[in-house]
Amino acid sequence: MEMAEIGATPAGGVHRLALTDQDRSTRDLFATWCEAAGLTISVDRMGSMFARRAGTDVDAPPVFAGSHLDSQPLGGRFDGPLGVLAALEAVETMNDQGIETRHSVEVVNWTNEEGSRFAPAMISSGVFAGVFEIDFAHAIEDASGATIVGELERIGYSGSEPVGGRPVRASFELHIEQGPLLERSGTAVGVVTGVQGARWYDVRIEGEVTHAGPFPMSERKDPVRGTARVLDRLFELVRTLDDEGKFTVGEIHASPGSRNTMPGQIDFTVDIRHPDDDALTGLDEKFRALVSAETEAMGLSAQIDQIWHSPTTRFAEECVDAVRAAAVTVGLSHMDVFSGAGHDSVYMQRVCPTGMIFVPCEGGLSHAEAENITQKDAEAGANVLMHSVLGVAGVAGAAG
Ligand code: GLV
Ligand code: MN
Ligand code: MN
């Protein structure tokens, strides 16, 4: 709740876009708490923070536990911070209980998970996993032209550690479910088996700019009309295809953007997702065909630029089992779930065995100021996270 005061919004959420002054404040606060817990902090060249609690075996690779502190615009308090701060709580509990682990444990804050200021999402874990080149990531610009590397330097989080290229034993992430299944079924913990695939696009529909008053309707090349038609058909397509595909337009911009000018150009973002990779590919093809057919018929032109593809991920059995076993140890009800949202764990699964834990969130809502969880759910998630980590990191002196 103290962290949620940074970038707090009137409706109870937070507005803390990646690498803004608010993000710097959360990082500073997180670092203060990590130092108080006796952890050693390192920052890599993508600004991701790793707070290490040393294990007894100096040669054993670390176990990661973490998530992200950046938020959506007018976002919630828990998407991200829950996973980072529960990991910190877990190592503080190990300190309090005098528990030593064989593998070191690193509490991680990944830079720019959300991808709303700098697209795409999960960029720094992606660089860590070798999916993106660091130069590509550093050069990504926000809407005003500020770059990731420039903003890392400005807020003082352009670290010196190389990004990735080091062994990690396993990685765990606690997160709110961001959907309604756990709450509706009265289940305490979701054992996450994987994450559905996603594709992001920038779409532009172009017509011919003209005056709002005198120019005849029948002769207009209106990209707003084209966009309305295209979107109506696309929503219908995805809704009727199956129960699992998702289609979201999160941003729409008209240019030049004046009340009494019919715009010449509409730019919008598209996010499509599906748990089945073949179905996602099919959706991609149908989407492209529909946009070009409809705009052509209206004398408009269309451009589709795919800026990201994150295929469906399945988490390592070892970590899924560790999470399930932890839920049993803590005595909580649990069910297997598949994540609808993307997470840094998707890219960590390419580096090491990875697992995720979900806890219910009120009404299944997230990416919204209304996002809420109970203290009981947070505690349950933190306990399962700690026991998952201990299961793999190994308690020094314990048998097995
Ligand atoms: C991350 O929040 C996502 O887009 O799923
Ligand atoms: Mn998140
Ligand atoms: Mn999110």
Side-chain angles (χ1 to χ4, degrees), residues 79 113-114 178 367:
D79 173 1
E113 189 277 344
E114 293 291 5
Q178 307 184 269
H367 283 194

Side-chain angles (χ1 to χ4, degrees), residues 67-68 70 78-80 113-114 173 175 178 341-343 367:
S67 192
H68 60 97
D70 67 319
F78 303 100
D79 173 1
E113 189 277 344
E114 293 291 5
E173 180 171 6
H175 208 281
Q178 307 184 269
H343 301 285
H367 283 194

Side-chain angles (χ1 to χ4, degrees), residues 208 210-221:
E208 195 170 42
T210 190
H211 196 292
F215 202 80
M217 286 297 280
S218 59
E219 291 172 39
R220 293 184 182 193
K221 290 183 182 163

Side-chain angles (χ1 to χ4, degrees), residues 68 72 79 113-116 121-122 175 178 195-196 198 200 271 273 308 339-344 366-367:
H68 60 97
Q72 288 282 315
D79 173 1
E113 189 277 344
E114 293 291 5
S116 21
M122 297 137 55
H175 208 281
Q178 307 184 269
V195 176
Q196 73 174 342
W200 282 9
D271 173 319
R273 307 200 191 197
W308 188 43
S339 177
H343 301 285
D344 293 304
S366 73
H367 283 194

Side-chain angles (χ1 to χ4, degrees), residues 44-189:
D44 75 13
R45 293 182 60 222
M46 283 301 295
S48 295
M49 301 168 73
F50 304 85
R52 184 181 182 93
R53 182 178 189 268
T56 54
D57 181 348
V58 288
D59 297 324
V63 174
F64 281 8
S67 192
H68 60 97
L69 297 176
D70 67 319
S71 87
Q72 288 282 315
L74 298 178
R77 296 167 293 174
F78 303 100
D79 173 1
L82 175 68
V84 180
L85 299 182
L88 178 57
E89 177 69 21
V91 297
E92 285 176 351
T93 301
M94 294 175 202
N95 287 348
D96 294 345
Q97 302 290 319
I99 296 170
E100 288 196 294
T101 55
R102 188 167 90 73
H103 293 259
S104 299
V105 177
E106 294 191 21
V107 180
V108 186
N109 169 35
W110 296 107
T111 295
N112 188 53
E113 189 277 344
E114 293 291 5
S116 21
R117 182 178 179 202
F118 299 102
M122 297 137 55
I123 191 73
S124 61
S125 53
V127 177
F128 193 97
V131 174
F132 305 114
E133 296 288 342
I134 189 161
D135 292 345
F136 163 79
H138 274 171
I140 293 172
E141 293 179 1
D142 73 0
S144 74
T147 60
I148 285 189
V149 71
E151 289 296 90
L152 280 171
E153 280 161 14
R154 187 185 68 78
I155 68 163
Y157 276 90
S158 174
S160 55
E161 293 289 318
V163 184
R166 62 180 172 118
V168 181
R169 171 64 185 85
S171 182
F172 291 98
E173 180 171 6
L174 168 66
H175 208 281
I176 57 169
E177 182 199 354
Q178 307 184 269
L181 299 180
L182 295 175
E183 187 183 65
R184 284 184 190 162
S185 61
T187 309
V189 168

